[in-house]
Amino acid sequence: MIEHLSFSVTGQGLHSITSVVSQSIARHFRGQDGLCTLFIQHTSASLLIQENYDDSARIDLERWLNRLVPENDPLYTHTLEGPDDMPAHIKAALTASSVAIPIINGQLALGSWQGIYLWEHRHAASERNLVMHLSN
């Protein structure tokens, strides 16, 4: 089964999407086992499974990646959409465009402190589209 999900994000950073994905699985996988694969249809955002308990982990990840891939690097030639454009593409290349999570007894098999995040790499608010493939 394929479902299209759309998320409005307020700008750069990690945005939790766990509850939306979990709700969709609950509608379609009542007590069943299977696999949930998520794929983001963008080249300047990514997906991540990460700690969902302590916000400092999220903040540290965002700061670390921004330091690793700074804006306004003189090597960038792809700057048509602003100083965050090329860094967003590099960040997406270094992270993941898809994640796969087992479904056990109708629920995501995430660990106690894991959540699913859409990692927006651009500063501006935007709409991001994901394809969710559920199989059993």
Side-chain angles (χ1 to χ4, degrees), residues 6-44:
S6 184
F7 297 91
S8 295
V9 295
T10 56
Q12 192 175 74
L14 287 158
H15 304 274
S16 179
I17 62 171
T18 310
S19 63
V20 172
V21 174
S22 294
Q23 290 167 9
S24 181
I25 288 169
R27 285 193 307 273
H28 301 292
F29 268 73
R30 300 192 201 294
Q32 298 176 32
D33 296 343
L35 183 67
C36 172
T37 303
L38 298 168
F39 174 76
I40 191 161
Q41 297 180 297
H42 301 277
T43 60
S44 55

Side-chain angles (χ1 to χ4, degrees), residues 3 15 83 87 101:
E3 185 171 336
H15 304 274
I101 306 142

Side-chain angles (χ1 to χ4, degrees), residues 111-131:
S112 297
W113 309 116
Q114 288 182 316
I116 308 166
Y117 291 89
L118 188 160
W119 200 343
E120 176 58 53
H121 303 303
R122 302 294 305 266
H123 291 294
S126 62
E127 192 80 9
R128 294 302 190 178
N129 300 306
L130 275 67
V131 176

